[in-house]
Amino acid sequence: MRGADVTQESLFTVAKLADFVPANHPLRSIRELADEALRRMSGLFSALYADTGRASIAPEKLMRAQLLQL
């Protein structure tokens, strides 16, 4: 089963993650491009995952993490 693509920022800190990245940093525009591409791929992700079972980590989260590492 496909997990949801949500963040739990308040679980770890009182500040939002966006507060740590300056407004004009290139990562912000990269994130917007990546989010749009992942939104378009959402239907494909849903088709690849089973409807039952324990929810996995959302594929969007995994792909964003890999993009950040690159």
Side-chain angles (χ1 to χ4, degrees):
M1 188 161 87
R2 181 176 168 205
D5 185 25
V6 296
T7 59
Q8 295 178 329
E9 294 176 85
S10 61
L11 181 64
F12 302 107
T13 180
V14 294
K16 295 188 185 305
L17 293 174
D19 295 341
F20 297 101
V21 181
N24 60 348
H25 197 282
L27 280 177
R28 288 188 180 265
S29 57
I30 292 171
R31 172 74 184 253
E32 290 174 15
L33 292 171
D35 285 348
E36 177 58 32
L38 291 170
R39 269 191 296 278
R40 290 193 311 259
M41 295 174 66
S42 181
L44 176 62
F45 293 145
S46 293
L48 294 173
Y49 282 76
D51 294 331
T52 59
R54 186 174 178 185
S56 67
I57 297 172
E60 294 91 343
K61 286 186 177 290
L62 297 172
M63 295 184 102
R64 274 191 214 99
Q66 190 171 19
L67 178 63
L68 184 60
Q69 289 174 0
L70 292 172

